[in-house]
Each structure stands twice: as C-alpha cells, then as structure tokens.
Amino acid sequence: MAEPALVEAQELGRDFEVSRPWLERKLGRLPRQWLRAVDDVSFRIERGRTLALVGESGCGKSTVARLMVGLHEPTRGRVRFGGIDLSQAAPAEMLGIRRRMQMVFQDPYASVNPRWRVRDIVAEPLRAHGLINERGALRDRVAELLTQVGLASRDGDKFPHEFSGGQRQRISIARALASDPEFLVCDEPTSALDVSVQAQVLNLLQDLQAQLGLTCLFISHNLAVVEYVASEVGVMYLGRLVELGPVGAVLARPAHPYARMLLDALPDLDMTGRPRTPVAGEVPNPLEPPAGCAFHPRCPQADARCRVERPLLKAIDSGVLVACHAMEEGRLAPGAATPGRATDRIPS
C-alpha cells in the first residue's frame, strides 16, 4: 500500500464573525455577519513534497496556513497530520504533533521578540518542548542552527534590530527548525524582502528541504517564485481552490481562466509575443460573494450556468483538477504552453 500523505486538508472551511457591536445591532435590528474566509478546500501533501497556494490578497491562503498548524480552529472539515485528525487528538498528543510542525511568518521582525537576544529566540522551542535543558548543549545546538541557516554562531549574542530583513528571516527559519519538524509552513516568507535577498532565502529553503526531508506548505502571491520551490500548486480565489495539480503542468498550461490571468500578469522577459490577458476587475466583496462560480463577474468565458451553479474540482489531463464549467463543457481549451519555464535554482 502507498504511504499516506503526511498532511491532508479535508473539505476545510473557516468563518469569521464580522458583525457590528451588540448594542448597535440591537438598536438597528441588524443580523450577525459572517465572513467565509475558506470554503471547502481539500488537498494532500506527500512526505518531502511542497504544495504552494497562490492567489490575490484576501483569497484565504494565509488562513489555510494557520488552519494547518492549529492557529485557527476549522469551522468545517478537518486537518489530518500523519493520519491523525487534529480535532480529535488529546492535549498530550497535540503537544507532540506541534513539535513536528512549525511556521515561518511573513514579517521577520514582527514574528520575533525584539527584547530577546537571538540565542534565546532560537532556543525557545527547545525549552518549550523540553528537548534540551543542559545549558552547554543548548548553546551548542543554537550555534549549529544559526550556522545551518547561513549566520555565525556569535550572532546569537545580538538583538533582532541589529540584522537586516533577510538575516531576520534566517533567524525565524532557525527557530522553526529547532524542534526538528517534519512539516514547515512558509507564509509568504520572502514578500517583505528585496529581490536579491528573496533569492537567497528561497535557495536556503530548498537546500534545507533537501537536507532534512521537510514537507512544506508554501504561501505566495508570486507565481514566479512558486515555480522554483513547489512540487504542486493550488490556485485560490475567494476562499476556494479553482485549480490544483503538478506545478509544471499548471504553470505551463494553465486551465482555469483565473490561473491564466495570474500568469499573464507576470512580465514576459522572453518577449514571446504570446497574447496576454491582464487581470481585469476587482475581487468581489467577500461578505457578499457572487452566486455560482465566484470568478464569473471577471471571467470572459462566463455564461448563464456560471452565474447560478458552483463548479466542482474535476480532473483533466496531466493530473490537474480544475473547477470551471467552460473547461468541463469544452468551451475552453487548456492554455497554450509557456516556453522558458523554471530552472532548478534561482541565481542569488
């Protein structure tokens, strides 16, 4: 039998209450309001693989990341880690699971304590999980982690404000690796960095994944970044997955109209002359999402069915799943192949 996926999301959903204050609702006789940030998202990540979730800001990809590590409780559906349903796990069992999953946040400065020295920041997971208690062994382990991410062991005596943005993100990565995790969630870890520093951090993450056998969930809005780091990619729109499949197949021949528009928004450095359709319109109000396919107000292929019936993810060629009536009915052919796609490493 095939080994089960390390991480699995099953029909995952999360709602947030965004109602007006209680007194204002009572006086105005207003109903409670709920924002559906994530709606029926399902995927699997095999051991040693990387799934990237991409989409415009507000599509729910960061909420999915927090759901996967337990920072939010799902409103619907479930998260399974190593075959264990996290909603059913006992507190003692969850403590062991949390050691096996870690997260690297978007802002490397906001995610660390500015009053702590770097050695204390990196050592925090070791102390919290009781992995190392002896002072000398703790100091040696911190020095090893800092060296592993490209910093010097003496940097442990400094404070976060003494480092650049890229160096602070390396500190965050060292802290995430301290507990020897199996699953690493990276929530836009390079979006706050300069382009050249982004390349260094991405190459570091690739090297660490190869060395440590990490399984990763990578959140990004930049498809140019995703093609270098991911094995599979999921395209999200308004809380739902609209396309999911191997990164080479999705980026070379995108099927969903939204995925095509995201790719067309990238600069065409190869000057291929291929016709390009820029992303048009605005994301609908998530408090009042459109009926049927959520993308239909911006989609040039939308028809009457798209406006009333929600499309489901269905398999097409190359193992890609697409939620699109136009693809299902044959009104839309798979996207044209895009030449000059990813290399194995980003020049830094």
Side-chain angles (χ1 to χ4, degrees), residues 106-108 165 169 188-194 198:
Q106 178 176 359
D107 189 338
Q169 196 62 288
E188 302 199 40
T190 61
S191 62
L193 308 178
D194 293 337
Q198 286 184 27

Side-chain angles (χ1 to χ4, degrees), residues 41 93 133 159 166 188 201 237 265 267 291 293 323:
V41 170
E93 190 175 26
N133 295 314
F159 290 95
E188 302 199 40
V201 172
Y237 186 77
C293 175

